[in-house]
Each structure stands twice: as C-alpha cells, then as structure tokens.
Amino acid sequence: MAEVMQRPSFEILERDDFSEVTYSLVIHHPLMARAARPGQFVIVMSHEAGERIPLTIADFDREKGTVTLVVQAVGKSTKEMQQSCKVGTALYALVGPMGVPSPLGTAKKVVCVGGGLGVAPIYPQARGFKEHGAYVIGVLGFRTKKLMFWADKFKACCDELILCTDDGSAGIKGFVSDGIKLAIKGHPDIDEVVAIGPPIMMKACAEATRPHKIKTVVSLNPLMVDGTGMCGGCRVKIGGQVKFACVDGPDFDGHQVDFDDLMSRLRRFIAPEKTAMERWTEGCRMKNHIVSSDARSSAQFLPAALTELLELPDPFEEAKGG
Ligand SMILES: Cc1cc2nc3c(=O)[nH]c(=O)nc-3n(C[C@H](O)[C@H](O)[C@H](O)COP(=O)(O)OP(=O)(O)OC[C@H]3O[C@@H](n4cnc5c(N)ncnc54)[C@H](O)[C@@H]3O)c2cc1C
Ligand code: FES
C-alpha cells in the first residue's frame, strides 16, 4: 500500500498574552527547531485563505521540538491570528527558516538592543552571543512597564541589562538610544551593537553608535511576499545598493541603511491595509449581529473574541512604540 505523506500539523502548544496586542505562540515543529538559527524568520499562513506574513523566530527549543513566535496585532492578519490561534489549534502553513542567520562571530563585548516588539527577535541573538562566550549587555525598551515582557529571559543570558521606558515606569526614563549611550559610557571596548525594533528606533541606534565607529547591525522589516528573493517587494537600499531583505538579510549594517526609503516603502499600502481591516471588522460585526439577534441568543452565545476585537485600541498605535 502506498505510504501516505502526513502534512505537518504546526500545532500551537502554548500561548501567552503579554498585553492587549502582543502574544506569543509556541509551535510544535521539531525540524524547524533543529534548523533555526538566531536572526531567521518564517512565513506563516494562519488559514488556507490567509495572507502570508513574515514573523521572526523569537525562540527555539531543539529538545522540545518547538519554535516560538511573538506577534503584535497591528492589522487584519495579525488580529485574525490573535482570535484564532488558541492552544490546541494549528497554523495552516509555516515555511522557513528563512533569511541569513545572524553572524555571532568573534565579538567579545556586544550590546543587544530590542525596542517594543523587537525585544522578542533580539532574544535568540543575545542568547547566541552568550553561548559564543561574549560579554552581553541587553538594552530593552518599552513605552511603559505594562508592556514589558521577557525581562527574566534576558536576565538569564545577559551580563548586564539596561531597561528603558518612555515614561520612566521601569528602569531608566528614556529611549533605547539613551540605554546604548549609557552602555558605551561604561564600556569603551564594545565590539558590536545589534538593534531590532521599529525603523525609526533602529535609525536612532545607528546614529548613537556612528560617532564611536562601533559596528551596528539592524534587522530590517520591509514588506515581504514570497520571502525567497523572487518578488522584489522587500528591496532595501544599503550603502546605495539595492538588496533583498529576505535573502540578503534581514540583518544589515545600520550605518549603511537608507532608513527614510525603508519607512516610505512601509507606508505604501496603508490605504488597502486599512480597507482590509475595516472589511474584516465589519464581517465580525455582522457575525456578532447575526448571533446576537438569534431567537435563542443571549450574551452567552456572543463569541467573546469578536466582542474583544471591537474594543481593541488603535491597531497602529502599538507599532509606533518602542
Ligand atoms: C523579516 C520580518 C520579520 C518580522 N517579524 C515579526 C515578528 O516577529 N512579530 C510581528 O508581530 N511582526 C513581525 N513582522 C511584521 C509583520 O510581518 C507584519 O506586522 C504583518 O505582516 C502585518 O500584517 P497585518 O495584516 O496584521 O497588518 P497590515 O494592516 O497588513 O499591515 C500593518 C503594517 O505591517 C507591515 N506589513 C504588512 N504586511 C506585511 C508583510 N507582508 N511583510 C512585512 N510587513 C508587513 C506594514 O508596515 C504595515 O503598514 C516582521 C516583518 C519582517 C519583514
Ligand atoms: S519577499 Fe519577495 S524578494 Fe524578498
């Protein structure tokens, strides 16, 4: 009898909600866990008709055969995942690991900087540098204490940890660029700074290190479609040359990145993204209405997730943070 190929299930084993908009998913995928390296990403489809979205591998556990993704619900697909990705369910597709792994190289003293959601993807790099014997200084930035996550994981792999919040509710009051300046003041022998977060934050980090001529690596997040170098959607300008972030990156020399070009390209699809979000929200409202006007209906038949969705804050607000 012919052997039937079993499709891997990509089952969600754990979920943790860090805030109203940020959540982590631990996914069963032993092959991916074995192959993943710090700095790489996956492309996810949450259901058969879902959009393909790139997400960084925020953690992997080779023994347990799991990979961890940390997602910020900013638009239609990530909000849809926030509703549907429960423990025991499965993603429809998960492709990767993609991108060039971050070179953990020979640096002896490194500053790993994560701003907002960027805290998640910088974690495997901080751990990787530590495993390679480097002295690791973590600099983590959040808008406020309430949005903080994974400080314990960083404490376990960093020799020093500088927490920054915009409002001073935890750690120092200031941005991660202030944290970098503090680290440089205390350590004139820093070999490398690695920064992940919103483009405006990575630009500020690159400017903080430029006068000191410290090697600065940033992880770019342009729009991606195929993730394999074929569509050209993810092109970025590095030192005047065009590169594709999905196959040449996503890590690049922060002093060479044209951040203004990156930020303007990221804004290109704001109108259709808003339309997709509105159409989806309207669909949820309709479903809500149908359920609530059912003869048997009462609050007990209202899907809680749909009600929650309508109460979520501005989807773009959190993405601006860090
Ligand atoms: C290499 C890489 C790693 C990433 N890692 C993470 C991660 O670990 N966690 C996380 O929450 N987000 C990550 N992102 C961003 C994530 O892919 C987008 O937030 C997501 O695609 C938004 O889709 P949406 O439908 O929810 O929102 P939309 O409303 O469609 O878009 C909201 C914003 O997200 C960005 N975006 C939209 N579509 C894409 C796309 N196809 N590719 C890249 N950016 C897009 C744009 O800036 C857009 O304005 C990563 C992006 C890249 C390129
Ligand atoms: S995502 Fe298509 S070329 Fe990079």
Side-chain angles (χ1 to χ4, degrees):
M1 208 168 82
E3 199 180 315
V4 181
M5 278 278 283
Q6 282 237 317
R7 194 176 160 272
S9 81
F10 315 130
E11 187 185 352
I12 297 164
L13 303 180
E14 286 170 45
R15 169 172 169 154
D16 196 359
D17 286 78
F18 301 141
S19 73
E20 279 174 323
V21 286
T22 311
Y23 53 98
S24 69
L25 304 172
V26 177
I27 294 150
H28 176 72
H29 198 323
L31 273 179
M32 182 86 73
R34 215 183 306 155
R37 300 280 180 281
Q40 291 188 296
F41 65 96
V42 291
I43 290 201
V44 169
M45 282 171 77
S46 64
H47 58 87
E48 195 173 358
E51 186 190 10
R52 301 156 53 93
I53 60 165
L55 297 169
T56 307
I57 301 172
D59 200 1
F60 49 85
D61 188 322
R62 298 203 166 105
E63 276 174 26
K64 290 185 185 158
T66 59
V67 289
T68 302
L69 307 175
V70 176
V71 192
Q72 199 159 51
V74 291
K76 191 239 169 194
S77 300
T78 47
K79 281 186 173 253
E80 201 173 34
M81 283 175 69
Q82 191 181 25
Q83 286 193 6
S84 62
C85 292
K86 308 277 184 211
V87 172
T89 66
L91 296 171
Y92 176 74
L94 188 64
V95 182
M98 292 173 150
V100 182
S102 306
L104 299 171
T106 50
K108 292 195 175 69
K109 195 173 273 189
V110 194
V111 182
C112 291
V113 188
L117 186 77
V119 165
I122 200 73
Y123 172 71
Q125 303 209 31
R127 187 179 60 186
F129 276 118
K130 189 74 211 154
E131 284 167 2
H132 276 70
Y135 185 92
V136 181
I137 304 166
V139 176
L140 308 184
F142 300 92
R143 269 192 291 132
T144 185
K145 187 178 178 180
K146 215 175 77 178
L147 299 173
M148 261 173 55
F149 62 90
W150 283 15
D152 290 351
K153 280 170 83 104
F154 279 87
K155 275 181 196 151
C157 70
C158 290
D159 297 280
E160 283 178 48
L161 186 62
I162 302 174
L163 276 174
C164 315
T165 47
D166 296 7
D167 62 1
S169 51
I172 63 162
K173 184 175 189 302
F175 299 129
V176 288
S177 45
D178 298 312
I180 293 176
K181 287 175 195 158
L182 205 64
I184 294 175
K185 209 170 152 192
H187 300 271
D189 54 343
I190 289 166
D191 297 306
E192 189 171 332
V193 171
V194 188
I196 309 186
I200 193 81
M201 181 215 97
M202 293 190 285
K203 185 180 181 183
C205 294
E207 290 316 314
T209 58
R210 197 189 293 275
H212 303 276
K213 297 189 170 54
I214 299 172
K215 179 182 174 190
T216 300
V217 177
V218 293
S219 177
L220 301 187
N221 61 336
L223 294 173
M224 289 188 180
V225 183
D226 60 300
T228 59
M230 289 195 283
C231 72
C234 67
R235 67 179 178 272
V236 286
K237 284 190 196 155
I238 313 292
Q241 286 192 316
V242 169
K243 300 276 180 192
F244 289 171
C246 66
V247 285
D248 299 321
D251 286 359
F252 293 101
D253 177 350
H255 296 149
Q256 299 288 320
V257 173
D258 184 338
F259 284 103
D260 296 335
D261 177 70
L262 172 68
M263 288 186 270
S264 94
R265 286 179 64 80
L266 278 170
R267 285 192 293 269
R268 277 181 313 160
F269 298 107
I270 280 188
E273 284 160 6
K274 281 200 165 175
T275 308
M277 183 65 201
E278 279 159 14
R279 208 178 300 140
W280 180 66
T281 309
E282 188 53 30
C284 293
R285 275 204 188 96
M286 296 280 283
K287 268 192 225 164
N288 228 353
H289 177 72
I290 292 163
V291 176
S292 61
S293 57
D294 187 291
R296 297 163 302 152
S297 97
S298 69
Q300 93 189 77
F301 289 106
L302 280 176
L306 293 181
T307 314
E308 273 165 29
L309 171 85
L310 301 176
E311 289 163 4
L312 279 170
D314 170 9
F316 294 95
E317 189 53 42
E318 181 62 13
K320 292 176 206 144

